[in-house]
């Protein structure tokens, strides 16, 4: 059989209709455009007293209702937005303390059979130089990322027969197999958590991803607006099926994966509508599975090879509105991690970190093979879109430390069963933030000893001393002296050269 024919059959077998239908209620999905427009309209011009009540509810770590979220989205006065921004950071501090988790993306392949109007990888883009990394190349890329000090990777794939489930699993294994000696201490280091951003899959394939030991499975809906979705994702492509994508994470949870991540690509439709869509997605997951997404992403569209829409969309979100949408998401789903990526320029990243983001990437390269071959990164036709913050990990860490945040490389949660319902429950009771502070300090200590520049080590060590002082004085640990004892022992052992200790 020739390659084209096999590929047609492969495409035909991807979508399993019964794995969509089982989630529909009376034949419809959970995004009702009419209801969302009504909620946005009827909550316009909200009373300041009501907004303050909503902020209090968020501070008690409860997911907001659609009406409450719509009211926040309709705030107009600058003073009230200031209160919203301050509360967003307070909620983050309460749930996640002051830590920022770092990761790096690794783009494995830019072959794709879809034709998303905003993406450089789309099949019809003849300018894109196609490449799929071999397992040796994936190991080489992993080594480069490890040399920077990363411990978490997210693997990213186009949707294509060549990068289907077998390839993904081999890629996960390849990443986990690499060991690289740290530059300062010579201690061996490896990636401790591999996450995946890949197209929606059937449950059987998702079970295989779980067996391969992935952390989070991430799929962005791009836009929750049915009509717009149809306009930017041609109907004759797999991605053209809105509901196959909408229930990707329901299937993942049914397959036994516990940490799932949602997101919308901002710039395709009205940002207020997309925030409501993300909330409805969260609510549906909470209703059916008892807990919501592990993280929420809100990438803004940036220019991509051969895509006019990507640089010229009427729905592009201004910097001011971007800050508002980040703050409202922080408040609406207080226990979810929220991720700002290197798509954003350094100054924007700085301002939204202060609005409650919990994760970010650094030393990011998105060209295929670009960690080992930097030239690849300079060519727009070898990557998916453009990034705004190419700074290396050390620079970004130094900056966040100077802002008072502790950099964390903690991956303990999924290795000791703090995933899914367990972790979302701990986050809601504000236990997770304190607990993870210990692991954040331990992993940051490793980073400072193994990779940091002199300047970063200096500022980092003063912050660690302050953090340890806080930990020692926290009431939370008063009747948990075993935790404190283990923390102190682990910290000394790390100074003595041991690695990968966690609570
Ligand atoms: N092919 C898989 C899929 O579509 O789910 C993998 C994801 S794609 C490589 C990763 C994400 O990048 C997409 O879900 C989309 O939100 C985002 N993306 C695509 N084009 C973009 C652009 N021009 N600017 C910013 N983000 C973009
Ligand atoms: Fe392919 Fe994903 Fe890009 Fe769409 S967003 S063209 S599915 S890589």
């Amino acid at each position: 059989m020739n390659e084209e024919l096999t590929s047609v059959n492969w495409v035909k077998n991807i979508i399993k209709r019964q794995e969509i239908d089982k989630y529909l209620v009376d034949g419809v999905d959970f995004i009702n455009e009419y209801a969302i427009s009504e909620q946005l309209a009827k909550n316009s011009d909200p009373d300041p007293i009501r907004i303050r009540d909503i902020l209090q509810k968020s501070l008690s770590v409860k997911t907001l209702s659609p009406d409450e979220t719509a009211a926040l989205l309709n705030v107009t006065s600058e003073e009230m937005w200031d209160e919203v921004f301050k509360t967003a950071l307070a909620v983050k501090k309460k749930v996640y303390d002051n830590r920022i988790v770092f990761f790096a993306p690794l783009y494995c392949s830019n072959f794709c059979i879809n034709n998303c109007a905003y993406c450089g990888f789309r099949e019809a883009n003849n300018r894109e130089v196609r490449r799929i990394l071999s397992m040796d190349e994936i190991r080489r890329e992993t080594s480069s990322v490890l040399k920077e000090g990363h411990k978490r990777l997210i693997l990213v794939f186009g949707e294509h027969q060549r990068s289907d489930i077998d390839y993904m699993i081999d890629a996960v294994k390849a990443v986990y197999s690499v060991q690289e000696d740290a530059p300062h201490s010579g201690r061996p280091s490896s990636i401790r958590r591999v996450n995946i951003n890949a197209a929606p899959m059937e449950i059987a394939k998702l079970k295989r991803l779980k067996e391969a030991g992935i952390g989070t499975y991430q799929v962005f809906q791009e836009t929750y607006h049915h009509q717009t979705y149809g306009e930017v994702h041609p109907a004759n492509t797999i991605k053209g099926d809105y509901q196959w994508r909408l229930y990707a994470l329901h299937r993942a949870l049914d397959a036994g994966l516990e940490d799932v991540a949602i997101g919308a690509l901002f710039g395709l439709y009205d940002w207020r509508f997309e925030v409501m869509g993300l909330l409805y997605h969260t609510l549906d997951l909470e209703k059916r599975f008892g807990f919501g997404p592990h993280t929420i992403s809100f990438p803004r569209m940036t220019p991509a090879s051969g895509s006019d829409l990507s640089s010229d969309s009427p729905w592009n979100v201004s910097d001011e509105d971007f800050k508002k949408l980040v703050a409202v998401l922080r408040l609406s789903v207080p226990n979810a991690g929220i991720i700002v990526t290197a798509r954003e320029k350094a100054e924007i990243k700085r301002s939204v970190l202060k609005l409650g983001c919990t994760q970010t990437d650094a030393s990011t390269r998105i060209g295929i093979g670009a960690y080992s071959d930097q030239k690849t990164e300079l060519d727009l036709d070898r990557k998916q879109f453009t990034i705004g913050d190419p700074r290396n990990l050390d620079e970004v860490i130094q900056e966040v430390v100077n802002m008072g945040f502790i950099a964390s490389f903690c991956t303990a949660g999924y290795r000791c069963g703090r995933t899914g319902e367990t972790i979302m429950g701990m986050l809601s009771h504000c236990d997770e933030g304190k607990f993870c502070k210990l692991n954040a300090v331990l992993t940051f200590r490793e980073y400072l000893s193994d990779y940091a520049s002199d300047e970063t080590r200096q500022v980092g060590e003063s912050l660690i001393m302050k953090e340890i002082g806080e930990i020692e004085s926290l009431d939370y640990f008063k009747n948990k002296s075993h935790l404190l004892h283990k923390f102190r022992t682990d910290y000394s052992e790390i100074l003595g050269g041991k690695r990968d200790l966690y609570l």
Side-chain angles (χ1 to χ4, degrees):
M1 219 184 300
N2 68 29
E3 205 181 311
E4 215 167 283
L5 261 181
T6 4
S7 162
V8 171
N9 283 336
W10 179 79
V11 169
K12 271 199 201 139
N13 282 318
I14 295 290
I15 297 180
K16 302 279 182 287
R17 192 66 229 176
Q18 68 279 18
E19 293 190 15
I20 299 173
D21 292 345
K22 67 186 231 180
Y23 301 111
L24 300 176
V25 177
D26 298 329
V28 293
D29 60 59
F30 57 82
I31 296 294
N32 177 340
E33 272 86 2
Y34 177 75
I36 293 178
S37 307
E38 283 278 285
Q39 275 146 358
L40 285 169
K42 84 169 191 268
N43 288 288
S44 63
D45 199 16
D47 184 287
I49 298 175
R50 176 157 176 245
I51 293 296
R52 289 192 183 110
D53 285 346
I54 296 172
L55 296 179
Q56 280 310 311
K57 176 171 173 189
S58 182
L59 273 168
S60 65
V61 197
K62 293 201 173 71
T63 307
L64 299 184
S65 70
D67 276 317
E68 289 161 343
T69 300
L72 290 183
L73 289 167
N74 273 310
V75 165
T76 47
S77 96
E78 264 185 44
E79 299 86 76
M80 197 43 82
W81 272 115
D82 271 351
E83 279 187 47
V84 170
F85 292 154
K86 284 195 185 107
T87 317
L89 186 59
V91 166
K92 152 56 196 334
K93 173 97 180 110
K94 191 166 177 198
V95 181
Y96 283 91
D97 209 89
N98 63 336
R99 67 186 203 281
I100 305 284
V101 171
F102 280 87
F103 69 94
L106 201 174
Y107 277 70
C108 297
S109 168
N110 59 358
F111 282 91
C112 192
I113 34 81
N114 292 309
N115 264 312
C116 312
Y118 44 82
C119 177
F121 290 178
R122 72 193 182 285
E123 189 179 41
N125 181 19
N126 298 327
R127 282 161 53 175
E128 187 76 8
V129 184
R130 306 285 164 175
R131 181 169 172 199
I132 178 163
L133 296 180
S134 69
M135 292 306 137
D136 276 345
E137 287 170 327
I138 288 181
R139 282 188 280 271
R140 210 172 311 139
E141 290 283 280
T142 307
S143 292
S144 305
V145 173
L146 279 169
K147 281 181 192 142
E148 292 272 334
H150 281 291
K151 300 283 184 274
R152 286 173 176 244
L153 264 191
I154 181 157
L155 297 180
V156 188
F157 309 86
E159 184 165 25
H160 198 273
Q161 195 176 7
R162 296 179 68 172
S163 57
D164 199 3
I165 188 72
D166 291 334
Y167 176 83
M168 286 182 205
I169 287 173
D170 288 347
V172 171
K173 288 185 186 152
V175 170
Y176 279 134
S177 73
V178 179
Q179 274 211 343
E180 188 66 45
D181 292 345
H184 299 333
S185 68
R187 310 301 303 168
S189 170
S190 49
I191 294 295
R192 298 173 185 165
R193 178 171 174 129
V194 178
N195 297 332
I196 295 268
N197 179 312
M201 285 170 229
E202 63 183 82
I203 293 174
K205 290 182 183 174
L206 291 160
K207 285 186 175 160
R208 293 185 58 199
L209 279 186
K210 174 165 170 81
E211 278 160 27
I214 69 158
T216 309
Y217 173 56
Q218 181 182 60
V219 176
F220 301 155
Q221 184 60 25
E222 321 298 12
T223 171
Y224 285 91
H225 191 253
H226 288 85
Q227 188 192 326
T228 306
Y229 190 94
E231 285 162 11
V232 295
H233 303 113
N236 61 351
T237 59
I238 299 175
K239 195 150 167 183
D241 192 321
Y242 175 101
Q243 292 177 337
W244 176 243
R245 199 166 181 88
L246 193 65
Y247 291 107
L249 302 170
H250 290 60
R251 290 193 295 279
L253 292 173
D254 272 336
L257 284 163
E258 295 206 301
D259 289 343
V260 295
I262 63 173
L265 181 59
F266 281 84
L268 295 176
Y269 188 59
D270 176 35
W271 64 270
R272 291 183 174 85
F273 182 93
E274 304 295 12
V275 170
M276 296 293 284
L278 288 164
L279 175 69
Y280 270 105
H281 202 160
T282 301
L283 292 172
D284 205 68
L285 292 172
E286 285 181 354
K287 188 171 83 195
R288 287 166 191 259
F289 299 96
F291 60 96
H294 187 64
T295 57
I296 301 181
S297 297
F298 30 82
R300 273 196 293 185
M301 200 157 54
T302 69
S305 155
S307 159
D308 293 339
L309 177 71
S310 64
S311 33
D312 195 21
S313 165
W315 296 107
N316 274 341
V317 179
S318 70
D319 292 348
E320 275 318 298
D321 288 343
F322 187 61
K323 288 179 211 163
K324 292 175 182 168
L325 77 86
V326 174
V328 175
L329 279 171
R330 169 67 298 148
L331 292 161
S332 294
V333 192
N335 66 0
I338 60 173
I339 304 180
V340 58
T341 69
R343 289 174 182 83
E344 299 298 336
K345 294 198 175 75
E347 77 223 53
I348 299 292
K349 263 178 108 174
R350 268 194 298 277
S351 55
V352 296
L353 285 175
K354 289 192 219 142
L355 296 175
C357 289
T358 56
Q359 289 196 26
T360 194
D361 52 340
S363 54
T364 300
R365 305 277 175 273
I366 59 168
I368 312 292
Y371 287 108
S372 338
D373 176 7
Q374 306 270 328
K375 286 195 305 294
T376 310
E377 190 66 13
L378 304 175
D379 183 354
L380 184 59
D381 294 335
R382 288 174 191 269
K383 57 188 182 188
Q384 194 192 10
F385 50 82
T386 327
I387 60 169
D389 182 8
R391 291 174 304 162
N392 69 26
L393 183 58
D394 188 77
E395 264 178 284
V396 181
I397 287 193
Q398 200 180 118
E399 179 175 276
V400 302
V401 168
N402 284 327
M403 288 164 72
F405 297 114
I406 182 157
S408 175
F409 295 90
C410 172
T411 53
Y414 90 112
R415 296 195 286 170
C416 36
R418 289 196 301 273
T419 53
E421 197 162 7
T422 313
I423 195 160
M424 296 327 269
M426 286 180 78
L427 288 162
S428 301
H429 295 109
C430 302
D431 288 347
E432 174 67 8
K434 298 182 197 72
F435 204 82
C436 283
K437 197 177 178 83
L438 308 179
N439 287 321
V441 170
L442 295 178
T443 55
F444 190 40
R445 178 65 262 172
E446 287 185 345
Y447 177 84
L448 294 180
S449 301
D450 288 347
Y451 304 95
S453 63
D454 290 345
E455 302 77 40
T456 303
R457 194 171 322 113
Q458 244 176 27
V459 290
E461 283 177 347
S462 336
L463 182 66
I464 280 196
M465 287 307 122
K466 188 167 153 266
E467 296 292 314
I468 292 179
E470 257 181 48
I471 288 170
E472 301 272 354
S473 66
L474 271 176
D475 282 345
Y476 181 78
F477 292 116
K478 293 258 156 74
N479 55 356
K480 294 182 180 62
S481 53
H482 60 289
L483 279 181
L484 266 190
H485 176 73
K486 170 133 177 38
F487 169 71
R488 289 187 198 118
T489 316
D490 286 356
Y491 189 84
S492 316
E493 289 190 346
I494 288 171
L495 286 175
K498 273 209 177 170
R499 292 293 175 265
D500 203 10
L501 302 173
Y502 53 88
L503 296 100

